[in-house]
Amino acid sequence: MKQLCVFFFFLTLSLQAQFQVNGIVKESTTNKPLPFATITTTDGINSISDVDGKFSIVTPIPFTAFDISYIGFTKARITLEKNKNYYVVMLSQKTDDLNEVVVPDENPALAIIRKAIENKDNNNPQKKLYSFEFKSYNKLIVSANPDSIDGRIDSVFVQKSSGDQFSKIDSSEYKFKDIVRQQHLFQTEKVSQYQFANSTLKETILGTKMAGFKQPVYEIIAFNLQSFSIYDSRYELFETKYNSPIANDALKDYNYKLLDSLIIDGRNTYMIYFKNKKKRRASGLEGVLYIDQNNFAVAKAVMRIKGVLDISGIHNFKYIPSEKLWFPTDKTFKIVKGKNDDDIKILGGTIQFDGDVENDFKERKKTASDFTYLLSQTNNFEIQYNIPIQIKKSAVTIEIKDDAVNKPEAFWDTYRKDSLDSRSQKTYLALDSLSIKKRIESRLRFGRKIINGYLPIGKFDLDLRKLFSYNNYEGFRLGIGGTTNERFSKNFRVEGYTAYGTKDNDFKYNLGIAARVGKFTNSWIGVSYTDDLREIASTVFAIDKKPFKIYDPRPINISTFYNYVTWKTFIETKIIPKTESLWELSRTAVEPQFNYIFNLNGKLYPNYVMTTAMVSLRWNPFSDYMQTPTGRIEVEKRFPKFTFQYTQSIPKIWQNDFEFSKIDFKTEYEKKYLNGQKTSLLFEAGYSFGAIPLTHLYNTSPNNITKETIIQRITFSGKNSFETMFFNEFFSSQYAYFQFKHGFSRVTLFKKIKPSLVIVSRVAWGNLQNPEQHIGLDYKTLNKGYFESGIELNQIYKGLGLGGFYRYGPNQLSKFQDNIAVKISFVLNIGL
């Protein structure tokens, strides 16, 4: 749902106020902009210019003049002129440049930054204080300044051989200006309580209100616009993490410059400008740190990235003499469209951009998205320090109270810093009315279900995965299935499916019921019955939720299945912090659908019964979670993630035939880079011991068919499959598997052809105990290891891609061409 949030945020920035003055600061000799110049009005209001030297002074009451200063330049005073609100200020360089600042053989800013890094643990509230608590009020709007919009009604002409011919009237700008004059495009408010103790920080949302939604979109509430703390080693801005300018290793990434000195809260501070050393556009953060000249704490911070979007985050602090500490009091987040050659398509709409500004710049006609902006402002109050605090339900980072969406207007009047103006009041009325008329909440619910593979039909969600598939044994598998949804009941569910194979002429089906026994832990207890097929020796982690695909191509060439008839009872719960777990007790009758017999001590089993207890657990120790009135959401996905599964047969219960144990483990790691690249690591291992048939051992996910030529073997690639390993070629009772993937940023070859290059390497080792027990299939073992590497060119055109893989090492085949596999890939971009 983060992409949905981006939809709102791309609509964004320019501040509507009672009195506003804009301008730009430049160097008089070179005419170059001066970034982060200090601007002070006659009323004592401070501001700074941005990285392009541009500034905007917004005040509730008019002022008569303002001063602009920049270290090394002569200060200028500008007196306001009537009917003029844009000023070009030229500053002249001083002749006695920086004589007052002398630090031998070193940039003075570096000495200050080193001191800030050295003292940051003493200045970080989360390090110096053993506890704190405060409340905050946040208001986020998407709006536009109507005075910036032309609002003309244009005539549109098309060019024809006979000349320009009138086509239509374009009144879009006029309508847009009329709308934003009366209301904002989007608006949300929230009141939170923050608590910190024992190195744990938790936000409890006491009230939340979102225009157009009776039930807010919780993913938008959880969207992390900027880091809570300026002292984090990885500073986050718009859900992208950058190395902090005061991280321990910051000096290798940033250049620093001393701009000026300024008094904040009665204390002298240095203004330090920082910029990423990399020359590439949008390669990292830049901005200004205001460093206390006495204790080298951060007294204010302006953080910015500039690229396709211009994004800035401002942190303000107040000095607490009793604690000798600067504590955060408010923060502001702004986002505005930048400049880029490419247009961006989101949810069917297009955000347009100008061409390269420095080279062949061609101005285009402005559209509504050029004037819209996002502004998020947060104010902290009722701050308390070093008091006894007990954080309840500390396993979740954010908790939304059940009554948070139903707060009366008196609640909001208590916590708002300023009362809502007429535009804000009309925003709630207009968007609530529009939401009902356009059925926005119903459409959003529909979109959420579809993304997860379900089609909501009244009180039932149709499972789209069950409609159609194909494999070599069943042929076309046609079916229908799904589950009851929250409209049926929030505490009970009924689920099931039925399917028919056109090749095996057989029906498969499942039916299950469950009841919720814990709301906060989202615990369910249930029973189910299943009569179906499964690929032999496939590794299935029961807790994994299979990602939705319109069609999964890997099973096309699978021929070896076993039929299983299972009764089971289960409990699924999130009672253990940062985990999801599934506990099962089941009885399964197994009948292999291929030539196979299990030989146990001379007794032959063409089919058998297995009674087992199983626990499957996923643990995400580094992720953050949000508890909402409708359930728990993983809002900050961090790696590594771990999955454990243990299966134990239960002897002499319900006609169980074998005694065995299985232990399965998986860990995943991903690292995303600022340049769009991504590295993924996957490790899986399994160990089984005891009397266990081949159907329930391991095959390490092969995905190659036995055909004579490379062309005949072309099939669709799997996600984590061995593309050069033939089906049923290897089986193991113990195995270990490792996969490395690195995806490079997409490369534009043509306007619509932008492939993504991915390099892949896979390796596996395995062993099979008691191979004489398995009769019917010819196979090999992996005790010498298996190696495969390849490249993928994904999303070459309309989601289609192509990959090539090569098999090498001890299990390399004698013919060179037999070691090569060519695969087709398909990536569906839903757009949400």
Side-chain angles (χ1 to χ4, degrees), residues 123 261-270 290-297 299 318-321 324-326:
N123 294 317
S261 61
L262 190 70
I263 297 177
I264 299 179
D265 210 11
R267 295 176 66 87
N268 294 322
T269 65
Y270 297 111
Y290 297 72
I291 306 295
D292 189 302
Q293 294 185 15
N294 184 30
N295 63 5
F296 297 95
K318 180 180 180 181
Y319 188 71
I320 311 298
K324 297 181 179 179
L325 182 75
W326 289 88

Side-chain angles (χ1 to χ4, degrees), residues 183-429:
Q183 66 179 72
H184 303 304
L185 303 176
F186 179 71
Q187 179 174 282
T188 181
E189 297 175 276
K190 72 172 179 177
V191 173
S192 301
Q193 180 185 48
Y194 284 87
Q195 293 177 302
F196 173 80
N198 300 319
S199 301
T200 298
L201 178 68
K202 180 182 177 181
E203 178 188 6
T204 302
I205 298 177
L206 307 176
T208 179
K209 193 174 185 181
M210 188 173 291
F213 297 89
K214 292 181 180 178
Q215 292 293 328
V217 182
Y218 296 120
E219 291 83 353
I220 292 180
I221 295 175
F223 204 72
N224 196 17
L225 300 177
Q226 59 193 124
S227 285
F228 174 83
S229 174
I230 196 67
Y231 292 99
D232 291 344
S233 59
R234 299 280 288 171
Y235 181 82
E236 190 165 1
L237 198 60
F238 200 46
E239 296 226 325
T240 302
K241 292 185 177 180
Y242 304 85
N243 199 28
S244 168
I246 53 172
N248 291 338
D249 59 348
L251 272 64
K252 71 178 178 61
D253 287 333
Y254 293 97
N255 290 318
Y256 300 88
K257 181 180 179 182
L258 177 61
L259 295 181
D260 208 340
S261 61
L262 190 70
I263 297 177
I264 299 179
D265 210 11
R267 295 176 66 87
N268 294 322
T269 65
Y270 297 111
M271 288 179 62
I272 306 294
Y273 169 62
F274 65 90
K275 185 175 183 179
N276 196 280
K277 289 181 178 179
K278 296 179 181 179
K279 301 299 183 183
R280 295 194 310 273
R281 184 171 48 186
S283 59
L285 281 176
E286 59 183 311
V288 175
L289 297 176
Y290 297 72
I291 306 295
D292 189 302
Q293 294 185 15
N294 184 30
N295 63 5
F296 297 95
V298 177
K300 182 177 179 177
V302 179
M303 319 292 274
R304 185 179 181 189
I305 55 175
K306 184 181 179 184
V308 173
L309 297 174
D310 281 358
I311 305 168
S312 63
I314 300 175
H315 298 254
N316 288 308
F317 300 79
K318 180 180 180 181
Y319 188 71
I320 311 298
S322 61
E323 303 293 338
K324 297 181 179 179
L325 182 75
W326 289 88
F327 196 86
T329 56
D330 61 87
K331 59 183 180 181
T332 302
F333 175 88
K334 298 189 291 187
I335 181 170
V336 62
K337 226 170 66 171
K339 295 194 181 290
N340 189 281
D341 291 314
D342 299 325
D343 295 345
I344 293 180
K345 292 185 178 180
I346 299 176
L347 297 179
T350 301
I351 305 279
Q352 293 182 317
F353 292 92
D354 294 321
D356 191 325
V357 192
E358 296 179 358
N359 297 311
D360 186 21
F361 174 69
K362 294 181 180 178
E363 184 120 3
R364 58 171 173 79
K365 182 183 175 181
K366 300 298 183 183
T367 63
S369 66
D370 291 287
F371 305 106
T372 53
Y373 67 87
L374 178 144
L375 175 65
S376 172
Q377 292 179 304
T378 303
N379 299 292
N380 303 334
F381 51 93
E382 296 183 16
I383 303 170
Q384 300 180 75
Y385 323 93
N386 294 332
I387 60 172
I389 293 175
Q390 183 178 2
I391 301 177
K392 298 179 181 179
K393 301 176 182 177
S394 59
V396 293
T397 305
I398 306 172
E399 181 183 1
I400 303 178
K401 291 293 187 181
D402 288 350
D403 63 346
V405 299
N406 298 315
K407 293 297 185 182
E409 197 62 27
F411 170 88
W412 294 104
D413 291 338
T414 301
Y415 290 111
R416 285 176 181 137
K417 186 177 180 180
D418 301 304
S419 58
L420 292 183
D421 58 21
S422 60
R423 288 179 77 193
S424 293
Q425 293 174 11
K426 289 180 180 178
T427 302
Y428 281 123
L429 294 173

Side-chain angles (χ1 to χ4, degrees), residues 636-694:
E636 182 68 31
K637 296 182 180 180
R638 298 194 184 99
F639 294 89
K641 297 170 175 281
F642 305 95
T643 307
F644 306 88
Q645 187 162 287
Y646 178 69
T647 307
Q648 177 64 54
S649 68
I650 304 176
K652 301 178 182 179
I653 298 292
W654 293 336
Q655 301 175 317
N656 179 52
D657 286 322
F658 312 125
E659 294 185 29
F660 66 89
S661 302
K662 284 185 72 176
I663 302 171
D664 298 296
F665 171 76
K666 175 174 67 174
T667 182
E668 305 162 86
Y669 178 81
E670 284 186 9
K671 180 176 176 61
K672 295 182 179 180
Y673 303 90
L674 299 180
N675 57 10
Q677 300 186 40
K678 183 175 80 170
T679 297
S680 302
L681 305 177
L682 172 65
F683 176 78
E684 287 186 12
Y687 186 88
S688 65
F689 48 94
I692 184 164
L694 188 73

Side-chain angles (χ1 to χ4, degrees), residues 142-159:
V142 176
S143 191
N145 182 357
D147 295 334
S148 301
I149 305 168
D150 192 347
R152 291 180 301 179
I153 299 178
D154 294 330
S155 298
V156 179
F157 293 84
V158 293
Q159 190 173 10

Side-chain angles (χ1 to χ4, degrees), residues 5-147:
C5 300
V6 174
F7 167 66
F8 287 108
F9 287 79
F10 259 106
L11 289 174
T12 238
L13 183 95
S14 174
L15 186 61
Q16 169 87 3
Q18 291 174 312
F19 192 75
Q20 181 171 331
V21 174
N22 304 312
I24 187 169
V25 185
K26 293 185 176 183
E27 185 179 352
S28 59
T29 55
T30 64
N31 204 39
K32 290 183 178 180
L34 291 175
F36 303 112
T38 303
I39 303 160
T40 307
T41 71
T42 50
D43 296 329
I45 295 175
N46 293 315
S47 182
I48 58 172
S49 62
D50 65 15
V51 292
D52 300 316
K54 296 177 182 178
F55 64 87
S56 179
I57 311 171
V58 181
T59 64
I61 57 175
F63 54 92
T64 58
F66 61 93
D67 296 326
I68 294 189
S69 61
Y70 199 84
I71 196 164
F73 289 78
T74 303
K75 181 187 290 187
R77 166 159 289 198
I78 307 300
T79 302
L80 299 189
E81 301 176 25
K82 189 175 181 180
N83 298 325
K84 181 178 180 181
N85 63 358
Y86 189 85
Y87 297 83
V88 178
V89 182
M90 310 299 288
L91 296 185
S92 301
Q93 197 164 9
K94 291 181 181 178
T95 55
D96 56 343
D97 189 14
L98 289 180
N99 287 340
E100 69 279 12
V101 180
V102 179
V103 180
D105 302 324
E106 185 177 36
N107 176 354
L110 291 179
I112 297 168
I113 289 296
R114 283 197 179 98
K115 285 287 188 180
I117 294 172
E118 180 183 330
N119 289 277
K120 65 180 181 179
D121 283 353
N122 295 326
N123 294 317
N124 183 355
Q126 289 171 268
K127 297 282 187 179
K128 188 170 184 178
L129 302 175
Y130 69 78
S131 72
F132 59 76
E133 181 179 272
F134 63 87
K135 291 180 181 176
S136 73
Y137 167 77
N138 172 265
K139 181 181 178 182
L140 182 150
I141 62 171
V142 176
S143 191
N145 182 357
D147 295 334

